[in-house]
Amino acid sequence: MNLRFCGDYGPFDFHNVCVRATWGACLPAALVFAICLYSIPTPRPVRKFTSFIKAPFVPFLTLHEAGSLEAHSASGDAIVAVEMANIIPLWRTIVFVFAGLFQTLFWIVNGSYLLYSDRTDVWEVARAFLLAITWLYTAVRPITHPTATPPYDLFSIYITLFITSTLQLGGILFDNGVSGVPLPPMTTIIAISANLLLIGALLLVVLNIPLAIPSSSVKKDDIGKAVSLEDYTPLWKWITFAWIRPLVQLGRKTTLNEEDVPNLSPTMRSRPVFMKFESIHRPTLLRKLWAANSQDIFVVLNYAGPFFLKHILDAISYPTPESRGRAYIYAFLAFVCTVMKAQADLYHLWFSRRGSVRVRSQMMAAIYDKALKRKDYSGIIAKDKEEETITKETNNRQGGKGKAAADDPKAGADVGKIVNLMANDANRLSMTVSGAHLIYGAPFEIIIAGTFLYQLLGLSAFAGFTVLIVGWPLNSLLAQRRIRMHKSIVAARDKRMAILNELIGAIKFIKFFAWEDRWIRRVLDAREVEMKWMTKSRINSVLLHILWTCGPILVSVICFFVYVMQGNELTVSVAFTAIALFSMIRAPLNVIPNWIVQVLQAGVALERVAVYLDEDEVTDQVSSLKKDHSDPHLLGSDDEGLGLSDASLKWNEVPDDRKQDKSKDKSRTSTASVHSSNTIASDSTSLAEPASQRFELRDINVRFPEGELSVITGPTASGKTALLMALLGEMTLVSGKIIMSKNPSMVDENGHIQGISYAAQSPWLQHRSIKDNVLFGYPYDEERYNLVIKSCALEPDLVMLEDGDATEIGARGVNLSGGQKARVALARAVYARTKYVLLDDPLSAVDSHTSRFLYEKLLRGPLLANRTVILVTHHVQLVLPGAYYFVRMLDGRIDAQGTVKDLRVQGFLDEVAYSAAVETKEEEKAESETPAVANVDGVSKASITDVKKSRKFVKDEHREIGGVKWSIYKKYLKASSYWIWAFLVSVVVVNQLLGIGEKLWIKTWGEAYGNADSKYVIYAYKLLETSEHQTLMDGYLTHSQRVSRSMLPSTTSLFGGNWPSATQHPLFYVSIYAAIGLASTLVSTLSVTAQYTGGLKAARILFKELLVTVVRATFKFHDTTPQGRMLNRFGKDVTTIDGSLTSSLQSVNSSLANFFAAILTVAVVFPYFLIPALFIGLAYRELAIGYLNTGRDLRRMESNSRSPIFSDFGEILEGIVTVRAFSAERRFFDNLHTKIDMTTKMFYAFWMTNRWLLLNFDTLGGLAVLITTLFSIATLGNDAGLAGLSITSAMAFTTSVYWACRMWTTLELDLNAVERVVEYLDLPQEPPAVIESNRVPVYWPSNSNKDALISVENLVVKYAPDLPAVLRDVSFTVKAGERVGLLGRTGAGKSTLAMSILRFMDPVSGRIVVDGIDISTIGVHDLRSRLTFIPQDATLFSGTIRENLDPFEEHDDSECLDVLYRVQMITTRAKSQEQSDSSSHPAIRPPSVTDVEGETTVHTIDTASTTITEIDTKLSISLDTQVSAGGGNFSHGQRQLIAMARALLRRSSIIVLDEATSSIDFATDAKIQTTIREEFTNSLLLTVAHRLSTIIDYDRLIVLDKGQIAEFDTPYNLIQIDGIFRNMCLQSGSFSELEAAAKAKAEHDQK
């Protein structure tokens, strides 16, 4: 039944006045009725149902809520609502109310008059009263529900009234102008016009209302500058995106800086977003993400077809005044629809991008939050290494089974993997959300097109879709392979990043040993594995591409074939409309498989993140973040104090689901890592080992006395540090209880908070100033601070440093000496007003004089009074007089404990004190401070001395300005091969020719039907242009880039050929059409293959160049560049080069080709269009330049602002134990939020400028088409074909301009990655590794040379040309076999001289000659590989002990075992040999290393000590023992022993020794000193002296002072004369012993 009103007119007969008036009254009234109905309270079941439906659309975080969360995090108090000003201007309310009342009265009067006039037209009376009701609502609403923000209900009503009023007025004028209908009375026209103006004015008022009112905490002057304009912008600016325009205008004129970009909206900031995200509890991460972002993901896609163009062409085909008038109306309506479609696109793209930004922030914050809470796995051994043997054997037995889950994500992520999670996986999830609308948008389009096809072709329309069904299994197979390959790529990338992380972290040590080539090869091997998987993935992608591009063509061909075979006539209207619809369906068909893969890859990323987020966490007893979220913890008597009760603890291990299987194969388990009790730079160690053979702290019962000094001692690797880790809760508790509580809100009577401060054995320092490191977030108390500096013996250092305590500390403290680092960490622990202070061997890094100073001024001083201090030390004799409690560890157990007083009474301490007295004498040091050995490059001194130049040790990251330079393009094109790009350019040309051929063939096909109506051809042309906004998952155009193919004027026949009738031979035309389509597919496939080939080649070359350049860079670069900055290059930038860059470049080629083709077409077909096109082109140019400049700056700043996140992240992972001990996690987390907000605001601002460009381009495009259409209607008369071609030409032009601009920007963004990599290709490099023309002999340097082995001649060294000399005119000679000590106070130049011999800095004048060869004339590899340097901080690498000792496999196993024996790492050679040869290596963590402690224990301590255990455990160390990255599974002392073994194995003629035995117990140290004396008899030993006892029996001593040699003679001669050396000896407190030793040496030499 047809709906009729206004007589016989239907509801859509708009040419009738009554119908128009009825719509004008009913539509606004219906809207008011719906609003009122929605406001009526509903029953609870209905409310629950509607709440469930509305839930996905409810905003995740409102502005007010975000402001409250921000205020809460800043104050730390309970969450309170932020006060929002709700002041509504009175004039606005008066305008709304009076306008509404006036209109209401007018329509009531009008209706009453009509009723009074006894009109028979009931509709007319009803319309008047309906309008009165509508306007009454608009008058009442501002009074009953006043709001300071836009009233969206009124806005909707005003919009509806405006449209219907426009319809009425336009209808009257149209009827008069076209149909000659007389105009109504002038009063009516004036009334309708006035009504329209009034509604327009009301709309302007609403449009000028701001979206939100700033709270009391926001300054109005800051809005648009420091505060985002987005939240407070007027409604019209938000609709048009004009709020982002000021940023674009600024970027157009100048280079943007960080402060130019307004801050994010509070609803987008990391802190409130994460706090709200954490409050959502769902069983899986996916559901949690959905709950937090459903509104942003769930937005319906707008779909607009070429409806109006068809009607315009219909109207022009049969020209009458009425049809011409309708054509004008349709033209304007088409423009309005284009703008509305642009608005709809803008709306859903804004939502999706906002969702993607939030997801990225949520994931990055969640990953960081987990890092702060999870157990420390820093010393873990990768299970794949540990179980290599088992895996091989098992796979052999099972025929390769069991590898299915090999690529699945595993727990126990290392630093490299966690950085990858943050950089790549979080980004992939974010990008998936940003394009989520395509997942439901593409099927929606296919359904619409499918419906049209069914109406056109009947059931045969679906015959073609059988191709998709048949091809689906193949598609699924390829998609599954792609996912597996993606997992493998990600796993390979993780391994590559882990190796790079290790390489960059230990680059100095690698340079010392000249191992750069081996490490470059190791990284390249890992990269090659990654490239292999990437190549496989690319081949798979090519196969998928063939499948996807062939699919739509075969669908259309089979549809036509079936249609014709059924006996139907394939007429022109059917053929071309169907072709047009198939072209429409092609893009969504391509999008769906792409997005299936994209979603599956996002699933992999989600799983990786979820596995990481599910890792074990420390308890809320340890983590202050967890305690924040738990119930208040009341301290009971059992929790008071610090200690362990019946506790057994083990090192943290990754949970393993295969433990049961492993237990069966225990006998085949390869030797696992040896774990130590001592900590590495990351503050702790951990391990996964078979449960039965694991180092544990067993049966620990200890409670440390409150307010007293307790001392923990014991042999190397006996469990001293492990005991501190246990007290901190950083070990896994097997049984018993940890007595420890942290509650910063509790303060005792002495003003100390209930908390812990901790100084690790390897000090962890932040990349900040010394002062910031000492304060560590606590309030500055000048008096206390100065006392701490003085008590920690830092005053002399701060005086020496030009910037004092403002001196910036480099990454890992590179510009401080070992002693300085230890004392800064000590000062940090002391400054904090904590009740408990845990100090892990701080005295080992300083000399005896400083040790005594620290003991007297600090340990027994006021700062540590009434505080519970637990000190791990070997300096028992020094600290025992002030200690109250004593604990001795042995093999993971407490060997003895008690008060010093009680133990002294028992006589126990007499032996300990005697033993320690002997050892401490050897420990005396000859200088007042440990030299700055870490500063081998001298950068710190340069930065310290040269104040005028820069006091910033680490410079800010460089950022390019302006467009991407041609040199960057050239570099990439060259790397990927010019030949490939020449081929790709030719492919673009062929593709254009095929596009033209396709159009010509369609035209010929149409002509073959005879007198067919050409409008269908044009309709087909138009529809072929509708896929402009479909993008592939990586952001570039789909491979069916048919946006602007040339369309030429019709000719009678193609190339003059006589073609058969299309009616009689339809399959001929179908087959040619199919052949052109398949040829296009072939060309496209060749293009993709060439892109992938070039991309992989460039990726391989650029990565290798970047790696080599970074590894070969100078020490200064590595000292002043944060590790995260380098990892960012190797991570995100390399991933970009690996991925989308080549496709972006090819897309630009295609887009530019389309642009020029469109220009050509316009010039040929419709020259008149060139006039408006010129002006539109200028507008495009202005928009494009503003967007390109702004977008480029924003993306560069975004790249640079990412680096600090990764740097800080790596830093926090290394120091997590220290951070947790101080309960400082919240502060670090807040700092991360700030950094995430910085990078996110650049990212978000970029995408908002992109949306602004899209809206403006779409509007300009619509305007161009409107102008063309108006020209066509006015000038082309009845030529529908030419009119249609003109319009489509205009659309092709505008579309191609948009895509050329969009693709160019995408390319520039991707090239930003190349730009950043190329920037690192010009780093300052060390001298050549090898100079082929000047290679040294094999025997060089020869220790048989009886003359001078090293001759230093007039050496002058500066750190920079404009700085004073560090070494001044230094000359000396030393012979082979001599042992020479280098002494001098800090800054005297000892380290500089030692480093000059290794050529880490070249002299300004003078030279160093080694065995007759000037070292400046040979390669640094030849030099350093022939010398051996043993640094103070030993570094180990992941692999086996054998690989650490002998990376180049130059020695056999027996030699390697022999050196391990000589440095006391293993007990007996024979047993160790058997152990090495054995097929089974039991994995035991040795509690001690040497048999010396065993002997000492037996003789000096009671017989209860567990010496048997000790001897057994030594057998566990073999050459196959696994070493974790950095040697984290070995104690500090063990690492030094292995480094010593490494030097013994090299047997160099020259050994430079930075005495590195400070972390070894004295008995072992004595043995090692003996080993050095015995083993290095034929080598020249040059020792940077730390202990006078060590060098007192050397042949000669060089004493430096202020860069010059002050004294150079034998120890005995120097001690006799009044000089620097004698004063050192006198200060040491053991002058007589030193003098006796020097005399004995002198007498020995005379014999």
Side-chain angles (χ1 to χ4, degrees), residues 1270-1291:
L1270 297 178
F1271 265 94
S1272 301
I1273 296 167
T1275 60
L1276 294 177
N1278 61 355
D1279 193 343
L1282 197 53
L1285 208 50
S1286 302
I1287 294 166
T1288 51
S1289 299
M1291 296 197 74

Side-chain angles (χ1 to χ4, degrees), residues 715-730:
T716 303
S718 60
K720 301 182 296 297
T721 297
L723 185 59
L724 292 190
M725 291 295 107
L727 291 170
L728 291 171
E730 295 291 347

